[in-house]
Amino acid sequence: MDFPSIEKVFRTLALQAGDRIMEIYNADDFEVKAKSDESPVTEADEAADALISAGIRSAFPDMVLVTEEQAASHGQSASSFIIVDPLDGTKEFIKRRGDFTVNIALVQDGVPTRGVVYAPAKGRLFYTEADGRSVEESGPFDIDTKGDVTPVSVSEPDNSALLVVASKSHRDAATDAYIGKYSVEDMKSAGSSLKFCLVATGEADLYPRLGRTMEWDTAAGDAVLRGAGGHVIRFDDHTPFTYGKPGYENPFFIAHAPGVDLKAG
């Protein structure tokens, strides 16, 4: 696998998709439709998906590509593939709250090993470099030239004063009950895969998700977190989280920094 090319292509496509998304986001109005599962989709989702898919297929024609917005791709079965959510956090986009991301990831033998998470409205860009270590690049961003990068690393958690992040749009009583088992100093809410990145940078120690997600929602953020020394495990039995599952649907999970004294569900 040509990891320098993976890094360059993923970064470039994420930035290009982010630019297109922000053009639509900053317009006076944009079209919102409902998919078959009643979840919303906007013209920004579709435009970003078309751009990223074309770029991936051109650069890596032999790789399996799974993308949220192309239902036909969900029937593929592979242990290694590229997986895309062109606009993660569509509800945040529609409400113009800024917590949305472009997610692109490489999965190898069920493990997300490389990924990029770009939050264009927040001006935050996270990705794994060719060697697998995660960085945050500081803007303004140039599509053709890589800017200054800072390695990111998970925190050394204080179990008597944990920093926790949870979903902004999908918070529920079960999540609150689980978080209540910990000694929490600070609680953040964030949308999309930014939650993984907050754990990766040490801005949070723990992110539990007790709700439905798909692999395209999580793979890129998971790759960034793993490249920063963090872990993602199943909520039910704390076993490793894997990708390439039937239908690409995830079980509940916990993303965390090593050293968090994990509680049973």
Side-chain angles (χ1 to χ4, degrees):
M1 185 65 68
D2 184 351
F3 291 123
S5 292
I6 288 279
E7 177 191 339
K8 182 177 180 180
V9 171
F10 282 15
R11 177 188 175 277
T12 298
L13 291 175
L15 289 173
Q16 290 175 333
D19 286 348
R20 183 71 185 101
I21 288 167
M22 291 308 294
E23 289 176 8
I24 297 169
Y25 184 72
N26 291 324
D28 292 337
D29 197 11
F30 47 78
E31 182 181 10
V32 180
K33 298 179 288 188
K35 293 192 283 191
S36 58
D37 63 358
E38 299 304 316
S39 63
V41 62
T42 72
E43 57 187 290
D45 296 76
E46 294 171 342
D49 182 67
L51 187 158
I52 295 169
S53 296
I56 293 293
R57 290 186 172 118
S58 175
F60 309 110
D62 297 327
M63 288 292 296
V64 171
L65 173 62
V66 178
T67 173
E68 178 182 12
E69 302 308 332
Q70 297 176 37
S73 73
H74 306 169
Q76 301 176 98
S77 178
S79 61
S80 297
F81 51 93
I82 292 172
I83 189 163
V84 174
D85 189 342
L87 177 51
D88 181 28
T90 300
K91 291 179 181 178
E92 304 299 320
F93 178 89
I94 292 168
K95 295 175 182 177
R96 299 183 191 269
R97 292 202 294 215
D99 278 12
F100 50 86
T101 58
V102 178
N103 297 344
I104 309 173
L106 169 68
V107 174
Q108 295 180 284
D109 296 324
V111 178
T113 59
R114 301 293 187 279
V116 58
V117 175
Y118 178 39
K122 299 284 189 182
R124 300 194 76 174
L125 174 63
F126 306 89
Y127 52 89
T128 49
E129 293 190 304
D131 62 5
R133 291 180 294 183
S134 295
V135 297
E136 180 172 6
E137 182 176 334
S138 55
F141 306 112
D142 186 302
I143 286 174
D144 298 317
T145 305
K146 184 174 174 178
D148 294 333
V149 298
T150 303
V152 297
S153 180
V154 294
S155 64
E156 294 185 8
D158 177 354
N159 282 292
S160 67
L162 289 175
L163 308 176
V164 179
V165 62
S167 175
K168 183 173 288 185
S169 297
H170 302 280
R171 184 91 167 265
D172 59 16
T175 301
D176 287 340
Y178 181 71
I179 292 171
K181 297 182 178 185
Y182 294 87
S183 298
V184 177
E185 177 183 4
D186 186 52
M187 180 76 197
K188 295 182 175 72
S189 294
S192 69
S193 56
L194 279 170
K195 295 181 286 293
F196 288 99
C197 298
L198 294 179
V199 180
T201 61
E203 294 168 71
D205 305 310
L206 178 70
Y207 161 39
R209 182 58 184 262
L210 283 68
R212 185 175 186 263
T213 60
M214 307 300 288
E215 292 185 13
W216 47 77
D217 296 316
T218 62
D222 189 343
V224 169
L225 177 55
R226 293 183 195 225
H231 302 300
V232 182
I233 58 174
R234 292 177 59 108
F235 179 81
D236 53 3
D237 59 9
H238 293 185
T239 57
F241 209 59
T242 60
Y243 288 76
K245 300 180 289 296
Y248 299 96
E249 184 169 356
N250 289 326
F252 297 171
F253 63 82
I254 305 167
H256 67 96
V260 173
D261 182 13
L262 294 170
K263 310 299 183 184

